[in-house]
């Protein structure tokens, strides 16, 4: 299959399709029409048809989509048919929360270790995965095939740690620090800015209050 | 000032402007040109000019933007000039991580309590904020002005808890469960789907690998 022409906007919607199709699959649903999927997902049926047409003939007029096939194909596009080893830098609450998400593993993201500077966390393990000290990081990276590093450390440490990771071959960073990272172009950075999300919420609260005043 | 015509796309970029302007303010920068801001933020200067023109005359050709003024005005649009009381439902790792983000408070988000069903967490407090048991929730909501509830609980509990919150007057939910919520239209929901973000990362890894093969 040829995926080269899929737009950014469609790609950004794929994880949500994947999630809904996964739920349907778990519920034993084999086929679903774009209309039914549209009602579930609260987007228009025409948007769904347009998006999924990017992947060729998954649906036939009147027959609906084959849930398992579509789920698998979207998973392939998202790279979920392969495993991705990852580590977490920062074994505080957020790092531990991520380490406890067993669902990442189901999607092929295999947590190999956590790292921290806090000596009190040394020797601790989460779901059998060991917390190591930061001075073991370089050695660990040299001896393990790690693809992704999640950064759940304070903003003040992020630049230094990101540089160290990149210098040791890490090419994909999942960043939770409240800042953007300026790294070489071949390093992929995906940031989760929790404050930005909270501000969107407060923007919408303000808007609603204004609307009520009118 | 009149903000009614600002597009969704611009709004979604405002938290990032607010963050960068806040950093500049902390660094003591008083004025910045769209060109310099553009280099910092890695977007085009024309995009910045277009976005910020929505708020009227913050910048004058050749003089740049008044950092403090722009920071304050964007903050107002985002509703950050008011305080928002919030609670966290789920005092596990993720809930505790959110409770420890003191920076939310600086933006006016005041954490009033955490709630959990785990009796081992009863009486615990985080930065002086008490963890209460879920059976105290309704009473607490009736006696405190809470605007936002953050949900950091398992997917299986989310629907039930969200319904309870809405029945008790909560109109804004910050959802971390890996599912979308189907709530009355006047309830604002902002979801953080961590898996979706991880999948975007893995999509980009796959794309890079494909590009290298060519």
């Amino acid at each position: 299959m040829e995926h080269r022409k899929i737009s950014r906007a469609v790609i950004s919607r794929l994880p949500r399709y994947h999630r809904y199709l996964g739920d349907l699959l778990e519920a034993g649903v084999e086929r679903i029409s774009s209309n039914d999927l549209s009602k579930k997902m609260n987007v228009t049926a025409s948007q769904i048809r347009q998006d999924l047409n990017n992947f060729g003939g998954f649906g036939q007029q009147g027959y609906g989509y084959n849930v398992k096939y579509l789920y698998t194909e979207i998973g392939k596009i998202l790279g979920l048919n392969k495993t991705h080893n990852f580590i977490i830098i920062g074994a505080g609450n957020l790092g531990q929360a991520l380490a406890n998400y067993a669902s990442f593993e189901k999607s092929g993201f295999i947590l190999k270790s956590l790292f921290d500077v806090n000596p009190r966390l040394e020797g601790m393990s989460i779901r059998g995965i060991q917390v190591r000290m930061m001075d073991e990081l370089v050695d660990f990276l040299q001896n393990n095939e790690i693809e992704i590093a999640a950064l759940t450390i304070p903003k003040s440490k992020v630049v230094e740690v990101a540089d160290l990771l990149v210098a040791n071959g890490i090419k994909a960073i999942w960043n939770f620090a409240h800042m953007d990272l300026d790294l070489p172009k071949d390093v992929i950075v995906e940031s989760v800015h929790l404050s930005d999300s909270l501000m969107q919420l407060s923007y919408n609260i303000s808007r609603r209050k204004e609307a009520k005043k009118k």
Side-chain angles (χ1 to χ4, degrees), chain A:
Chain A
M1 213 187 302
E2 182 55 76
H3 298 312
R4 255 181 285 178
K5 287 166 202 159
I6 301 171
S7 76
R8 282 253 130 224
V10 177
I11 296 298
S12 73
R13 290 191 286 269
L14 290 187
R16 191 155 177 263
Y17 285 116
H18 192 260
R19 175 151 46 89
Y20 273 83
L21 291 164
D23 289 346
L24 289 169
L25 206 58
E26 260 183 43
V29 177
E30 286 178 17
R31 300 193 79 82
I32 189 161
S33 68
S34 52
N35 277 325
D36 288 349
L37 190 57
S38 135
K39 273 174 218 153
K40 261 192 172 307
M41 294 189 63
N42 204 19
V43 288
T44 66
S46 100
Q47 166 98 82
I48 290 183
R49 278 192 294 268
Q50 245 180 336
D51 282 353
L52 299 187
N53 276 347
N54 280 291
F55 315 119
F58 290 159
Q60 275 178 291
Q61 199 71 41
Y63 288 89
Y65 296 103
N66 179 318
V67 172
K68 188 171 182 184
Y69 183 61
L70 196 49
Y71 176 80
T72 310
E73 290 302 314
I74 291 179
K76 280 186 202 166
I77 294 159
L78 291 171
L80 306 179
N81 54 327
K82 300 181 186 113
T83 58
H84 303 276
N85 291 342
F86 80 111
I87 56 173
I88 295 172
I89 315 285
N93 283 313
L94 185 54
Q96 290 188 33
L98 295 182
N100 275 313
Y101 274 49
S103 66
F104 291 158
E105 224 158 78
K106 278 189 228 156
S107 306
F109 300 95
I110 315 295
L111 179 62
K112 290 293 183 180
S113 189
L114 298 95
F115 291 86
D116 208 290
V117 289
N118 184 347
R120 279 192 299 170
L121 298 175
E122 190 162 10
M124 182 179 155
S125 60
I126 297 163
R127 297 193 301 115
I129 300 148
Q130 201 186 325
V131 179
R132 292 180 170 83
M133 293 294 99
M134 276 301 277
D135 57 15
E136 301 170 70
L137 176 62
V138 171
D139 202 52
F140 187 88
L141 289 174
Q142 280 164 1
N143 292 297
N144 292 273
E145 290 203 13
I146 304 299
E147 198 164 28
I148 301 169
L151 298 188
T152 56
I153 51 179
K155 195 173 162 177
S156 58
K157 300 286 174 202
V158 162
V159 173
E160 183 192 333
V161 170
D163 287 346
L164 180 67
L165 288 163
V166 170
N168 285 280
I170 291 291
K171 298 277 191 206
I173 288 180
W174 197 23
N175 170 43
F176 285 79
H178 193 41
M179 65 183 297
D180 298 323
L181 294 173
D182 189 21
L183 294 171
K185 275 202 177 144
D186 66 334
V187 179
I188 295 160
V189 179
E190 171 74 25
S191 293
V192 178
H193 291 304
L194 295 178
S195 290
D196 288 13
S197 164
L198 194 50
M199 286 180 191
Q200 293 283 348
L201 188 62
S202 103
Y203 167 76
N204 284 313
I205 293 173
S206 298
R207 287 284 299 167
R208 190 181 50 194
K209 281 183 186 162
E210 267 174 44
K212 270 191 191 162
K213 276 187 209 154
K214 278 165 203 162

